[in-house]
Amino acid sequence: MLDADLTDADRALRDRVRAFGQNTIEPIINDYWERAEFPHEVIPGLRDLGIIGTFIKGYDCPGFSRQAAGIVAREMGRIDGSVNTFLGVHSNLCMGSIYMLGNEEQRQRWLPPMARLEKTGAFALTEPTHGSDSVSLETSARLEGDTWVLNGHKRWIGNGHEADVIVLYARDEADGQVKAFIVERQASGEYPAGYRPEPIVGKIGKRAILQADIVIEDLRIPTENRLENCESFAGVNRVLQATRGGASWEAVGHGMAAFEMAAKYALQREQFGAPIASYQLVQEKLATMLSDLTSMQLMCTRMAELQERDELTAPMASLIKMTTSRKALAMCREARDMMAGNGLLLENHVSRHLTDMEVVSTYEGTDSMQALIVGRDITGISAFTRKQSAR
């Protein structure tokens, strides 16, 4: 009964996003997923939902509470992880970077058209050799007159091959600190010379949102495109702290979908002359799934409360992400197993949720990394790096 405590506005938001997902996204998403293409036809509907920019206040954004922003991620995850990733990258990471790290002119310049989805965004932090240790990023930036010259390599950048506005993080050669830059797609549709993105192919999950491998070679960025309030990696952490939790809410959505599909299938599928829902083994599985789902919902609701009070810590967020990812992935696997061979068919959706949860368990910090953050908080000992043996 957690949703019974929602405000009328939040319930209306939930119902609006859920209906759009069920009526517009779900009927088409399997075809796009199988072809590994993004469903651009849903963009106008996403714009009209009034959800773009989530927690950002002003600039044509809705200024949602943390609970409302979580509901958006939950309901989108309940339908499809690829569209939810598009929204998370565009609304939270890219727009959030501009909102928190840009000056007022930069916010006015980029945020309103992005809120109207006239321009789409990307967030370029991860590199081929720096994922969990993104603080060690190697992409460089050098100031030459009134232009920054960037060189490096980014990978796994959602929408990085076709976004209009890309927030790209690089290390200033002068002071060794991380700075944030805006790469803009030109009116011709081309990117500036030196920005060479290629979509990564062959993924098994979140196939309807493409990630890019980006080679950056002597990319020239005007000084007005450096986000003024990012002077070190602390700026990146500000954005990640503000957007932390989205993956956990999405995991709840995938878990909800898995439980609902499994329960419905168990009542419809007959074996040995009776619905499989009548067997003790199946009922025990469903009871365990519901227990796990409820605990995930409780954790995310509490997370939103703490975020509103600015009391959520990194270890708390890691504990929630680790728990929700593990439980939702287990639920998707259980639902797929319960549906046996039918669970392998895209038309039954659960296999898409299963492979999407493999992705959720990886991005925004793998389960292993989250466990190490929690472990450090418990013991006071950092186990992030292997200790060198004494000679």
Side-chain angles (χ1 to χ4, degrees), residues 51-232:
I51 61 175
I52 306 302
T54 57
F55 65 87
I56 296 173
K57 299 183 186 300
Y59 311 99
D60 295 339
C61 298
F64 286 150
S65 68
R66 295 298 177 174
Q67 179 81 15
I71 288 170
V72 172
R74 184 190 81 181
E75 293 301 321
M76 282 297 174
R78 188 168 173 260
I79 298 298
D80 178 65
S82 295
V83 175
N84 185 66
T85 291
F86 169 81
L87 288 172
V89 167
H90 173 84
S91 287
N92 298 336
L93 292 171
C94 182
M95 293 180 69
S97 293
I98 296 169
Y99 180 63
M100 285 180 279
L101 304 179
N103 58 35
E104 183 59 24
E105 186 278 329
Q106 291 168 331
R107 297 187 199 107
Q108 293 287 354
R109 178 180 171 189
W110 285 303
L111 291 179
M114 295 184 74
R116 297 189 295 268
L117 279 176
E118 295 168 2
K119 294 181 181 293
T120 60
F123 177 87
L125 175 63
T126 302
E127 298 180 353
T129 56
H130 297 290
S132 296
D133 68 337
S134 57
V135 67
S136 302
L137 66 87
E138 297 179 57
T139 298
S140 66
R142 181 180 71 257
L143 183 61
E144 292 185 356
D146 60 356
T147 302
W148 289 89
V149 181
L150 276 58
N151 285 278
H153 195 173
K154 298 291 182 180
R155 188 167 174 82
W156 295 113
I157 308 306
N159 207 34
H161 66 297
E162 63 179 6
D164 301 295
V165 178
I166 301 102
V167 176
L168 193 152
Y169 292 92
R171 192 174 302 280
D172 187 350
E173 292 182 359
D175 61 10
Q177 298 299 322
V178 173
K179 310 290 172 66
F181 304 87
I182 297 290
V183 180
E184 290 187 277
R185 197 174 190 176
Q186 300 167 354
S188 64
E190 301 296 321
Y191 287 111
Y195 182 90
R196 302 200 302 273
E198 289 290 339
I200 297 171
V201 300
K203 293 190 305 173
I204 66 162
K206 296 220 175 186
R207 288 174 54 81
I209 178 70
L210 300 183
Q211 281 79 30
D213 183 274
I214 305 167
V215 175
I216 302 156
E217 187 174 10
D218 291 334
L219 171 63
R220 305 186 75 83
I221 302 292
T223 53
E224 60 266 26
N225 279 28
R226 184 179 85 79
L227 296 183
E228 187 175 290
N229 298 314
C230 184
E231 296 292 347
S232 68

Side-chain angles (χ1 to χ4, degrees), residues 206 247 251 321-322 324-330 333 354-370:
K206 296 220 175 186
K321 205 276 183 175
M322 179 186 73
T324 53
S325 293
R326 288 178 176 177
K327 288 185 179 298
L329 181 56
R333 287 172 175 164
L354 170 58
T355 54
D356 283 356
M357 266 311 307
E358 293 284 2
V359 180
V360 177
S361 296
T362 301
Y363 66 38
E364 295 193 27
T366 64
D367 288 357
S368 296
M369 290 305 302
Q370 306 295 356

Side-chain angles (χ1 to χ4, degrees), residues 22-42:
Q22 291 174 335
N23 298 330
T24 303
I25 298 175
E26 193 170 73
I28 66 170
I29 195 60
N30 283 341
D31 290 338
Y32 283 98
W33 194 96
E34 197 161 20
R35 298 197 306 266
E37 296 176 2
F38 181 75
H40 290 94
E41 65 186 88
V42 306

